[in-house]
Amino acid sequence: MGDHGVVHESIESGPDGEWVVRRITGSASTKPYRCPGCDQLIRPATPHIVAWPTVSLSFTGDGIDERRHWHTGCWRSRHRRR
């Protein structure tokens, strides 16, 4: 069976707060998403990161409502972007 469907989730702290970070395997990625780091498409079957704040940044819902799909490299280097 492999790790199809297994979710690898952790909490990461950074200058931009605490984030729930979920690592998505290629087999679990079935549709395209737009990466907020580079504004390019994350194609289906591409391993990537889904992240959302542990506390809502908008104060209008839960942090998970603000989840975004990121290329793994873009997520790691997000602090270096302006």
Side-chain angles (χ1 to χ4, degrees):
M1 286 248 191
D3 72 343
H4 179 75
V6 172
V7 173
H8 304 281
E9 197 171 282
S10 61
I11 302 289
E12 291 185 14
S13 294
D16 54 350
E18 284 200 331
W19 295 81
V20 179
V21 178
R22 182 178 292 169
R23 282 156 184 80
I24 304 297
T25 62
S27 60
S29 175
T30 58
K31 64 185 215 179
Y33 296 96
R34 177 89 40 202
C35 175
C38 66
D39 202 36
Q40 299 298 308
L41 222 53
I42 302 171
R43 296 161 60 111
T46 303
H48 64 279
I49 299 287
V50 179
W52 61 93
T54 57
V55 176
S56 174
L57 302 175
S58 66
F59 306 106
T60 59
D62 291 326
I64 196 168
D65 294 333
E66 298 167 33
R67 68 187 174 273
R68 297 291 178 267
H69 294 253
W70 294 74
H71 290 108
T72 303
C74 292
W75 172 254
R76 286 195 198 118
S77 64
R78 73 191 185 283
H79 304 303
R80 293 195 295 268
R81 296 179 186 273
R82 293 236 172 234

